[in-house]
Amino acid sequence: MNNHVRLDQEHFERLFPFYFVLDRGMRILQRGKSLEKLIGAEEELFESRFRFIRPGLGIRYSFDSILDYVKQIFILRNIGPGGTDFQLKGEFLHDEANDRIIFCGSPWITSEERFTSLGLKLNDFALHDSVADFLHVLKAQQMSYSDLFKLNEQIENNRLELAEKNVELQDANLELDRFVYSTSHDLRAPLLAINGLIDLVVEKSPGNSEVIEYSRIIRDTSNRLDGIIREILTYAKNRSILILPEHIDVEKMVHTIFDSARYYSNYPVELGFEMRHEDVFVSDNFSLQSVLSNIITNAIKYRRDDGTPAKVTFRSTVTSEKGIFEVEDNGQGIPKERLPRIFEMFYRASNSSPGSGLGLYICHEIVKKLGGEI
């Protein structure tokens, strides 16, 4: 079945009746007759028959990995199909001439009952010096302690490195938030100036329909850019601020948002309001206002174009355990197939949408930070 030079089986089995031989493909090519009683004589892969109990740290199921650990004590557990549950203890030797490794060991027997349950007899075992066996056990225990010490040392080093990286990451995020916040503020200033100049141009060109139309287009574009900048500012601010719980007057907050958002529609929009509060609502005022403002503004902004009277209904249910807020509108809506992606950054659910695709993403992040769901 192979071209390898075989061991002097008779001589080897006197010393190690439970030996076996592995080639570079990790196939078990030979095994002692005593081991055959426990696992059979068919050629098989090492990994399908045995599992490493020790060494455990860093060992892999490969020829070269075992060579890295040849001076250590191994404990192997039988996991093969139809095999008896037992463990082998011993060492691996490298047969360099034939480039294979040989396991030299015996079953780990801890009691007479265990001995008889394996169906073994005394003549299945080699005659070993009990003192040598005891020293092998001490060596294995010492190596286990050494592995544990190395593992603890590695965990501690990783913990310190992780703490340093976390500090660096926090500093980088803080610097990024400052940059975004500062840049956004700087960008809004020229936009306000542009809007002021547009008003001046319209004022100086009464009756000139072409100038007025172009001015309207410029203003719409400017307002859209200003909306994107404000969303970025909201995102940056919500990332950096701490949550400060306080009692919130939900009704007052919603009416204020609705009144300030009316200008997004050239037509009247009706606000319906339903409240069922058993308790006061406590949360972060700025965060909740950011979420409700974005959703209510969207409900007003994306009304139907067919002349249907626009209506937005806000429902609020608050108990001692949670608060549930619903915003319902009779506007354009969102196609069903696009709903799974509406909370992705920069995703726009409508091709006609003038938005940046940041609004619902920001809402999702804020609600998550508040410990809620949207």
Side-chain angles (χ1 to χ4, degrees):
M1 69 180 179
N2 61 70
N3 298 321
H4 296 285
V5 178
R6 297 182 67 84
L7 295 169
D8 181 351
Q9 199 160 348
E10 182 181 352
H11 172 72
F12 213 79
E13 282 191 358
R14 284 199 212 105
L15 296 173
F16 302 103
F18 296 89
Y19 83 92
F20 61 83
V21 180
L22 295 177
D23 67 2
R24 275 209 166 264
M26 294 294 283
R27 292 176 299 167
I28 302 176
L29 302 177
Q30 280 178 244
R31 68 205 78 192
K33 288 184 178 179
S34 295
L35 184 59
E36 283 185 7
K37 289 184 178 182
L38 298 176
I39 67 171
E42 293 183 5
E43 183 178 308
E44 59 188 330
L45 288 173
F46 173 82
E47 190 172 356
S48 65
R49 170 56 62 182
F50 292 110
R51 181 70 66 238
F52 290 118
I53 302 301
R54 88 149 319 277
L57 187 64
I59 190 71
R60 300 186 308 280
Y61 291 86
S62 69
F63 192 92
D64 291 331
S65 183
I66 291 177
L67 287 184
D68 290 338
Y69 290 81
V70 287
K71 294 183 180 180
Q72 295 202 28
I73 299 297
F74 281 76
I75 299 176
L76 310 175
R77 168 165 284 158
N78 174 48
I79 60 167
T84 310
D85 182 20
F86 67 91
Q87 294 182 7
L88 295 177
K89 62 177 176 66
E91 297 184 50
F92 280 98
L93 303 176
H94 186 202
D95 177 9
E96 295 185 21
N98 298 293
D99 196 24
R100 56 190 179 174
I101 47 183
I102 306 164
F103 177 79
C104 308
S106 59
W108 186 287
I109 304 296
T110 56
S111 66
E112 183 179 348
E113 181 182 358
R114 187 75 185 120
F115 179 81
T116 55
S117 69
L118 293 176
L120 298 172
K121 299 178 181 178
L122 283 175
N123 59 10
D124 287 316
F125 289 81
L127 295 177
H128 285 293
D129 186 334
S130 58
V131 174
D133 280 351
F134 180 66
L135 290 175
H136 272 81
V137 173
L138 289 180
K139 184 179 179 182
Q141 187 180 48
Q142 180 185 21
M143 289 178 174
S144 295
Y145 284 138
S146 176
D147 284 351
L148 184 61
F149 176 78
K150 289 177 181 177
L151 181 60
N152 286 334
E153 189 177 48
Q154 183 179 345
I155 290 172
E156 179 63 19
N157 289 338
N158 288 343
R159 187 186 67 80
L160 293 174
E161 184 178 349
L162 187 61
E164 291 175 2
K165 293 294 183 185
N166 191 38
V167 171
E168 291 177 8
L169 186 60
Q170 287 179 347
D171 289 344
N173 280 336
L174 184 60
E175 194 62 35
L176 181 61
D177 286 342
R178 286 173 180 166
F179 173 76
V180 170
Y181 204 72
S182 174
T183 304
S184 299
H185 270 295
D186 291 343
L187 287 173
R188 286 202 74 196
L191 281 177
L192 294 174
I194 290 171
N195 285 340
L197 290 171
I198 292 172
D199 292 338
L200 187 60
V201 168
V202 172
E203 183 182 333
K204 297 291 185 180
S205 307
N208 191 329
S209 58
E210 191 173 0
V211 170
I212 292 173
E213 176 60 19
Y214 287 147
S215 298
R216 184 191 63 77
I217 294 172
I218 295 171
R219 179 180 287 282
D220 288 345
T221 304
S222 175
N223 287 338
R224 180 181 172 187
L225 182 55
D226 186 49
I228 294 172
I229 292 172
R230 281 189 282 109
E231 285 180 340
I232 293 173
L233 279 169
T234 301
Y235 173 64
K237 189 172 182 180
N238 274 291
R239 270 171 48 88
S240 58
I241 66 169
L242 296 174
I243 299 299
L244 299 175
E246 59 181 296
H247 291 179
I248 297 176
D249 186 337
V250 177
E251 183 175 7
K252 181 180 178 181
M253 176 182 286
V254 171
H255 279 292
T256 301
I257 293 170
F258 186 79
D259 290 340
S260 64
R262 286 179 187 274
Y263 77 92
Y264 281 108
S265 173
N266 295 324
Y267 303 92
V269 182
E270 178 188 345
L271 174 66
F273 202 93
E274 300 174 15
M275 284 186 64
R276 294 186 298 276
H277 285 207
E278 300 171 9
D279 206 341
V280 295
F281 184 69
V282 178
S283 187
D284 182 77
N285 187 80
F286 177 80
S287 298
L288 182 64
Q289 185 169 358
S290 298
V291 172
L292 295 183
S293 177
N294 195 293
I295 296 175
I296 292 172
T297 300
N298 279 357
I300 295 173
K301 189 186 299 183
Y302 300 109
R303 63 182 303 281
R304 293 181 184 275
D305 295 327
D306 58 5
T308 302
K311 182 176 181 179
V312 177
T313 302
F314 179 85
R315 300 184 184 92
S316 173
T317 302
V318 175
T319 67
S320 59
E321 296 179 349
K322 61 184 176 181
I324 301 174
F325 306 113
E326 301 175 43
V327 179
E328 178 184 331
D329 65 77
N330 63 345
Q332 299 173 19
I334 300 172
K336 187 175 181 179
E337 66 274 10
R338 298 195 176 191
L339 288 175
R341 298 189 60 191
I342 60 175
F343 296 119
E344 294 179 15
M345 182 183 279
F346 301 123
Y347 181 76
R348 295 162 63 194
S350 170
N351 293 328
S352 62
S353 168
S356 63
L358 273 173
L360 289 180
Y361 168 77
I362 293 171
C363 288
H364 183 266
E365 293 299 301
I366 293 174
V367 172
K368 189 167 65 174
K369 188 173 181 180
L370 292 174
E373 296 178 0
I374 180 168

